[in-house]
Amino acid sequence: MIGVILHGFILALGLILPLGVQNVFVFNQGAVQPRFAKALPVIITAALCDTLLISLAILGVSVIVLEYDWIRMVLFSFGIGFLVYMGFVTWKTKPSEQQQEAARSFTTKKQIVFAISVSLLNPHAVLDTMGVIGTSSLQYSGTDKAIFAIACIVVSWLWFLGLGIAGRSAGRLDSSGKLLPVMNKISALIMWGTAVYLGVGLMGVL
């Protein structure tokens, strides 16, 4: 049992650790929201989306997604368009007090919609989850498979909670307001870089 838990923990951490669009969004929301509680909708939504993807992958949906090229083409196409758009929006986001005011007016519904978008419209994350976690789960059955799934899901929840807390700490330390604009520019570049990466992947599918 310990081996199964460690396998799920290390595998999930390895997939979620790289600086991606979803991580950057959760971190930024933790930083710009006036209170940590205001960032909880983003944190919980991102964790729930990961829980959904992990569950689907382990239940066998990954086999279907990875088998048909047209599904991957649709995922890549939507993902590229979304990341390019989000990159421009993030790049143009106004810094300092104006950014803080915008965060305060960011409704819970908008937070949830954006969190779902960066979680489920990122084909790189979807295919990684389906391909790596889904494939790895095939070696387990019954109770071991359930334990493996729970380990992966727990890592996801702890990670996003920690990311939100880290963002909150960074936002409180940034009294000059100079850090957030830089973070926005870095976030936009990561989104565009991911879009280019997906574009190369799409060409490979075609």
Side-chain angles (χ1 to χ4, degrees), residues 37-109:
K38 290 284 188 178
L40 283 177
V42 170
I43 295 170
I44 293 172
T45 302
L48 285 174
C49 287
D50 262 27
T51 299
L52 174 63
L53 290 177
I54 291 169
S55 300
L56 291 176
I58 292 176
L59 288 173
V61 178
S62 57
V63 176
I64 299 174
V65 173
L66 298 175
E67 183 178 353
Y68 295 101
D69 286 341
W70 70 268
I71 297 180
R72 285 187 289 170
M73 288 176 59
V74 170
L75 284 173
F76 274 88
S77 299
F78 272 109
I80 291 169
F82 172 74
L83 289 172
V84 170
Y85 168 74
M86 282 295 295
F88 279 110
V89 171
T90 304
W91 185 274
K92 294 179 180 179
T93 299
K94 295 180 181 180
S96 194
E97 294 180 1
Q98 293 179 358
Q99 188 181 44
Q100 293 286 351
E101 184 61 34
R104 293 188 184 97
S105 63
F106 212 54
T107 65
T108 299
K109 182 178 179 180

